[in-house]
Amino acid sequence: MSQVVTEKVGQKILKENDRIAMRLREEFARRGILCLNFISSPGAGKTLLLEKTLESFGPQERVAVLTGDIQTDNDARRLGRYGFPVRQITTEGACHLDAKMVENALTGWDLDSIDTLLVENVGNLVCPTSYDLGEAVKIVLLSVTEGDDKPLKYPGIFFKSGLCLITKVDLLPYVPFDMVVARENARRIHPDIEILEVSALTGQGMEEWRAWLSRRRAR
Amino acid sequence: MHEMGIAQEILGIVEREVEARPEARVKAVGVRVGRCSGVDTESLRFCFECLKKDTVVEAAELRIERTGADELDVSLVELEVP
């Protein structure tokens, strides 16, 4: 006479990507590398923000950049103009970077000569959420042309990000974006998320962004 | 569609759980999927169905419990033992 038995398992489903990401995270920790994963919708201003950030660094800064796109090396060429090592990851179809791509892209670089690794993800607010790259912090960019309810529509990435950069604030006079509402929405999803408002174009807020970076690098 | 990889992991976890009990039949697999985990439950269901044939979960029902944050784990297996 058969009987039904329920066995508790409680086993985390560790995707293959998570295993590689853990390896990367350990490697970064060992070498004191701060890795930041920049995520946003296409066109929210990741590349310009990174350009302006690199521009503000002195030549002694030990920073390197990985930039992901489905096609072209346009972003790597833009970012490569500031004198720091930059590599393009061309996914040729994948809508997100994954840990394996990052691991492969780092081959041949002397990791002991890098203190900060900036990773620009493929423009996408959905899929990158699920792919840990071994980063210390996920940074989500939300531009004022996108709508102040974005955090509610894409809770996953806002939940997982440590910092939200609200970008293109120079355009605020021309768009119906309500900054108070946007900030409330972000905090509704993730009460402890840090929020900074920037315009990479005009420089507004960029000093606070650089200060955030410095504090993070000092940790 | 990364839900296929996740379905395969679920199968792997269940296989390891029942390794010591070859006489048992898996009736159900309980999975917790966080709302913020980035996993689409319908895709996951579909992928699980695709994987089932000739495995220990062939006759198993996938029970998905939606939770608040970003968990992703196998919570339980329900076994029929003779």
Side-chain angles (χ1 to χ4, degrees), chain A residues 110-131:
Chain A
D110 174 17
L111 294 184
D112 284 323
S113 66
I114 299 172
D115 288 337
T116 310
L117 179 65
L118 306 174
V119 182
E120 183 187 358
N121 218 309
V122 177
N124 184 338
L125 266 189
V126 183
C127 312
T129 310
S130 309
Y131 287 87

Side-chain angles (χ1 to χ4, degrees), chain B:
Chain B
M1 200 166 77
H2 47 274
E3 278 78 6
M4 185 52 94
I6 293 166
Q8 281 170 331
E9 283 270 342
I10 294 171
L11 173 59
I13 291 169
V14 175
E15 278 173 343
R16 282 191 293 279
E17 272 304 304
V18 301
E19 221 172 347
R21 309 184 70 153
E23 74 287 3
R25 213 168 70 105
V26 182
K27 284 202 63 187
V29 178
V31 168
R32 276 191 292 250
V33 178
R35 258 173 253 283
C36 297
S37 65
V39 175
D40 178 68
T41 53
E42 285 318 301
S43 293
L44 181 58
R45 248 183 232 295
F46 176 77
C47 292
F48 190 75
E49 284 303 308
C50 292
L51 277 184
K52 267 178 166 186
K53 193 160 160 34
D54 298 329
T55 70
V56 296
V57 297
E58 187 152 26
E61 177 202 349
L62 183 67
R63 294 194 198 137
I64 299 178
E65 183 194 337
R66 300 286 265 152
T67 64
D70 67 345
E71 300 105 322
L72 189 62
D73 64 16
V74 173
S75 53
L76 58 87
V77 288
E78 209 174 81
L79 306 173
E80 195 176 290
V81 289

Side-chain angles (χ1 to χ4, degrees), chain A residues 33-65:
Chain A
I33 297 175
L34 172 70
C35 177
L36 301 173
N37 182 2
F38 293 83
I39 295 170
S40 79
S41 300
K46 294 185 292 300
T47 311
L48 187 64
L49 179 94
L50 289 177
E51 279 189 278
K52 295 296 182 181
T53 305
L54 293 175
E55 200 174 53
S56 74
F57 287 153
Q60 79 290 351
E61 293 290 350
R62 291 146 43 101
V63 62
V65 184

Side-chain angles (χ1 to χ4, degrees), chain A residues 3 7 20 41 83 90 99 105 108 114 119 127 142 153 158 177 192 194 201:
Chain A
Q3 53 165 336
E7 282 185 1
I20 302 174
S41 300
T90 312
I114 299 172
V119 182
C127 312
L142 163 60
K153 289 174 156 182
F158 285 85
F177 188 91
D192 295 331
E194 293 184 73
L201 203 61

